[in-house]
């Protein structure tokens, strides 16, 4: 059984300068700030869908990739399946304003 992902949700980029990167994606790409904290900015499309999460970190790079599960998927079933494959997986709630529940797990590269 593979996870039934229907689309990419959002990506998370680490950056030493959250404000500068947020300005780039708002001014050049046209995304809008939908949530902002001290060391994190959430950017959304004009349709209100989360596209990017920018977090402060010393080393820049991609840290997370969000996949939207198909409507008939259960987060508990996904966690159980991933654990059967030997992966660490857990359900988290209210991580960003647009995501009430998610399953977090790693990849072979350690992300």
């Amino acid at each position: 059984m593979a996870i039934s992902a229907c689309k990419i949700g959002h990506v998370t980029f680490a950056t030493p300068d959250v404000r500068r990167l947020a300005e780039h994606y708002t001014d050049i790409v046209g995304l809008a700030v939908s949530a902002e904290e001290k060391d994190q900015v959430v950017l959304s499309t004009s349709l209100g869908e989360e596209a990017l999460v920018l977090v402060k970190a010393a080393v820049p790079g991609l840290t997370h990739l969000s996949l939207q599960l198909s409507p008939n998927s259960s987060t508990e079933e996904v966690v159980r399946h991933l654990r059967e494959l030997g992966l660490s997986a857990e359900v988290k709630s209210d991580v960003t304003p647009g995501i009430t529940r998610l399953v977090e797990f790693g990849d072979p590269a350690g992300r």
Side-chain angles (χ1 to χ4, degrees), residues 2-7 67-70 73:
I3 294 174
S4 184
C6 59
K7 71 176 192 172
L67 302 171
Q68 184 176 341
L69 297 174
S70 66
S73 294

Side-chain angles (χ1 to χ4, degrees), residues 7 9-10 30-35 42-52 96-99:
K7 71 176 192 172
H10 70 267
L31 297 176
V33 175
S34 56
V42 179
L43 301 171
S44 298
T45 66
S46 60
L47 299 175
E49 297 176 333
E50 290 182 8
L52 293 175
T96 66
I99 301 174

Side-chain angles (χ1 to χ4, degrees), residues 24-69:
H24 169 79
Y25 283 104
T26 56
D27 296 348
I28 305 298
V29 181
L31 297 176
V33 175
S34 56
E36 191 169 0
E37 296 178 11
K38 180 183 175 200
D39 293 331
Q40 176 176 298
V41 174
V42 179
L43 301 171
S44 298
T45 66
S46 60
L47 299 175
E49 297 176 333
E50 290 182 8
L52 293 175
V53 178
L54 308 174
V55 295
K56 186 171 181 72
V59 178
L62 173 70
T63 62
H64 291 90
L65 170 66
S66 163
L67 302 171
Q68 184 176 341
L69 297 174

